[in-house]
């Protein structure tokens, strides 16, 4: 910003942002452009090409990013606001995956006001970052809360969760590190109904069960078994025709 630059070029070991991890999907396609909003969702959902903080900083100061390869002179991927410079207007920009999270389930939580705060406040105070959260419908006055968090935080979180569960009178706490998150991202979701249903159809046809679902206006994320993540990425990528022709 101090230099008055219109763009910042980021040189890395890949030549741009792809529709999926090319190490998993061989026909993944390099994107000519993505919006800041899409790139933020991609970075938060497992894409490693850009750090989340870098994209936030560029968006806050209105500086376009150009992700390029350090090993060639070809064009990369432009990241910026959604305007006339964002030439690529596909409904879906990409499929990301993340195997760094674990799922935690607290079973038999009393269903009363303030319980969720009592579960998540000690975790927040300990610096544990929570991602997806789901609570089932109360049955006989008790509910089940499931959420995802970094596997690296389990050692810190488990004693806190066990203590909280005892205080609340919950039945037990279960942790599951063998999960993965698959996300579908695209600004076009805002105006195209049925994207989530198509994603779920693709996963169902592949025989993949969904454990948690979370959405934003431009993202649908599903928790699946870690062993099934590559099949899930392939299935969703193929369903939305994101590969090279």
């Amino acid at each position: 910003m101090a230099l008055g630059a219109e763009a910042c070029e980021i040189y890395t070991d890949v030549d741009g942002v792809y529709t999926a991890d090319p190490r998993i999907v061989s026909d993944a396609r390099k994107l000519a452009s993505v919006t800041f909003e899409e790139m933020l969702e991609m970075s938060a959902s497992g894409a490693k090409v850009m750090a989340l903080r870098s994209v936030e900083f560029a968006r806050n100061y209105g500086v376009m990013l150009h992700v390029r390869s350090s090993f060639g002179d070809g064009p990369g991927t432009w990241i910026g606001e959604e305007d006339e410079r964002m030439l690529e207007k596909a409904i879906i920009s990409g499929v990301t995956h993340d195997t760094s999270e674990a799922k935690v389930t607290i079973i038999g939580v009393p269903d009363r006001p303030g319980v969720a705060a009592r579960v998540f406040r000690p975790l927040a105070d300990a610096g544990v970052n929570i991602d997806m959260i789901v609570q089932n419908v109360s049955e006989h006055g008790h509910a089940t809360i499931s959420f995802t968090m970094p596997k690296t935080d389990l050692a810190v979180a488990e004693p806190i969760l066990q203590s909280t569960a005892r205080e609340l009178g919950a039945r037990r706490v279960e942790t599951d590190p063998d999960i993965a998150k698959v996300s579908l991202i695209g600004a076009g979701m805002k105006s195209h109904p049925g994207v989530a249903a198509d994603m779920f159809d693709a996963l169902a046809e592949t025989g993949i069960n969904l454990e948690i679902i979370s959405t934003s206006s431009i993202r649908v994320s599903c928790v699946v078994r870690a062993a099934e993540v590559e099949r899930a990425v392939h299935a969703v990528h193929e369903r939305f025709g994101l590969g090279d022709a």
Side-chain angles (χ1 to χ4, degrees):
M1 182 179 179
L3 297 175
E6 292 185 1
C8 174
E9 294 197 335
I10 307 293
Y11 289 91
T12 182
D13 58 348
V14 293
D15 56 356
V17 180
Y18 280 75
T19 53
D21 187 337
R23 294 170 298 181
I24 290 179
V25 181
S26 59
D27 67 341
R29 177 172 49 86
K30 187 181 72 174
L31 298 165
S33 61
V34 293
T35 66
F36 284 132
E37 189 178 15
E38 289 170 322
M39 194 68 240
L40 285 169
E41 290 282 14
M42 287 182 174
S43 296
S45 301
K48 302 296 192 296
V49 66
M50 285 294 300
L52 184 65
R53 181 63 182 136
S54 298
V55 183
E56 289 177 336
F57 198 79
R59 181 190 61 176
N60 291 343
Y61 290 100
V63 177
M64 291 188 72
L65 299 174
H66 190 195
V67 183
R68 305 180 66 180
S69 172
S70 301
F71 308 106
D73 298 325
T77 301
W78 286 95
I79 304 170
E81 296 293 350
E82 188 172 2
D83 60 17
E84 68 277 0
R85 290 174 292 185
M86 297 287 100
L87 301 176
E88 202 159 302
K89 297 295 183 181
I91 298 171
I92 302 301
S93 290
V95 183
T96 61
H97 69 285
D98 187 356
T99 57
S100 69
E101 295 190 346
K103 182 176 74 170
V104 175
T105 302
I106 308 177
I107 299 170
V109 178
D111 186 21
R112 58 175 183 260
V115 167
R118 289 183 63 185
V119 169
F120 293 109
R121 172 50 60 190
L123 295 174
D125 291 343
V128 176
N129 187 40
I130 304 301
D131 185 10
M132 306 165 74
I133 304 173
V134 62
Q135 179 173 325
N136 70 355
V137 176
S138 175
E139 184 177 352
H140 306 302
H142 289 81
T144 296
I145 299 175
S146 294
F147 54 92
T148 61
M149 54 176 285
K151 292 178 186 177
T152 52
D153 287 344
L154 277 176
V156 173
E158 284 194 89
I160 296 172
L161 290 166
Q162 294 292 350
S163 175
T164 302
R166 286 194 297 270
E167 292 173 5
L168 292 173
R171 288 203 294 273
R172 65 182 184 276
V173 177
E174 296 179 351
T175 59
D176 182 1
D178 296 321
I179 58 109
K181 179 173 67 175
V182 177
S183 301
L184 185 67
I185 295 146
M189 290 186 194
K190 296 176 182 177
S191 55
H192 288 77
V195 170
D198 286 341
M199 180 182 184
F200 302 154
D201 279 343
L203 294 171
E205 289 169 6
T206 314
I208 295 174
N209 187 49
L210 310 183
E211 300 186 17
I212 299 178
I213 298 169
S214 173
T215 66
S216 75
S217 62
I218 67 166
R219 173 190 50 77
V220 182
S221 295
C222 302
V223 169
V224 302
R225 293 283 88 201
E228 296 178 324
V229 66
E230 292 194 13
R231 288 200 303 126
V233 171
H234 274 282
V236 176
H237 194 268
E238 182 177 349
R239 171 58 64 94
F240 288 91
L242 297 175
D244 285 324

